[in-house]
Amino acid sequence: MSHASAGSSAISAVGLRKDYGDRSVLRGVDVAVAWGQIAVLFGANGAGKTTLLRILAGLSRPDAGESHIAGLRMRRSGGRARTLVGFVGHQTLLYSDLTCRENLAFYAKLYGVDHPQARIESVLEQVALVDRADRRVRTLSHGMQKRLSVARAILHEPAVLLLDEPESGLDTDSVASLGDLLRDWTSSGKTALLTTHSLEIGQAWADSVLTLDRGRLAVETPFGCSADAAPAKSNPSPVHG
Ligand code: ATP
């Protein structure tokens, strides 16, 4: 069954609440992201974007509410749902003493990737790290480690990609390549939800725009345009020089 014919949203949640002590970060968040879409989540520092992404990825439990990935309820089918998610967070989840290829081989085994060697070469190419593939991760620049973290997240071809400020640390070309990668990703029916503070990225990439404010989520038409009149998506101009 293709993702698009799965019949439910790629990502959905109802009534998510998350409290840290007496501080309520999420106060009843509802989310629905369709298949084949790039959704961009905005919000001020501390609004709860990372908190929400981690809950959707099954890395953190909400205090109330339910979330689903590909129709699988995270509370009941978390193990299976997590295998359908690729997560790019602030931590790369890479082993610094292993090479790029060794890291990807480790994760390929963990996820039971078919034809792992071919898949590893393919993702290394997608993030332009073929020529560094046998270098230890700790010898790579921050931006290169971020690119390898994207390769790790897409390795098992998850149905849903969740990315927390993926552009941070990336140079202009790498941001443009990531935009291309996400467009390819969603054109095959898969879905991506990312947080960013860059309006340019939102404008260039988003099919739908979500804003988290005071613990609640608002859904907006991308940049005030109707879906028909929305500007053609393009690569954003420089984000980090
Ligand atoms: P930014 O744009 O700065 O990355 P954000 O929107 O991603 O912010 P979160 O990281 O989700 O925000 O944090 C939301 C709030 O929850 C903040 O006030 C933060 O201090 C608090 N918070 C996050 N994680 C924890 C934790 N483990 N324990 C206590 N408080 C936390």
Side-chain angles (χ1 to χ4, degrees), residues 21-81:
D22 56 5
R23 174 166 160 66
S24 284
V25 177
L26 305 179
R27 303 165 183 245
V29 166
D30 300 338
V31 185
V33 182
W35 290 108
Q37 298 263 301
I38 301 176
V40 173
L41 174 61
F42 286 109
N45 286 142
K49 301 179 298 299
T50 298
T51 302
L52 176 57
L53 234 57
R54 288 180 56 80
I55 288 173
L56 295 175
L59 299 172
S60 169
R61 279 178 196 277
D63 293 309
E66 291 284 359
S67 66
H68 296 78
I69 294 289
L72 292 174
R73 190 172 154 197
M74 194 54 82
R75 279 188 201 277
R76 187 188 294 160
S77 312
R80 173 95 184 99

Side-chain angles (χ1 to χ4, degrees), residues 185-208:
W185 190 260
T186 52
S187 68
S188 70
K190 300 188 186 88
T191 291
L193 169 61
L194 61 110
T195 73
T196 185
H197 290 288
S198 163
L199 287 177
E200 285 175 302
I201 282 184
Q203 192 154 27
W205 297 359
D207 296 306
S208 60

Side-chain angles (χ1 to χ4, degrees), residues 141-153:
S141 73
H142 174 59
M144 289 173 195
Q145 292 187 24
K146 188 69 172 266
R147 276 155 42 197
L148 187 60
S149 159
V150 171
R152 171 193 56 68

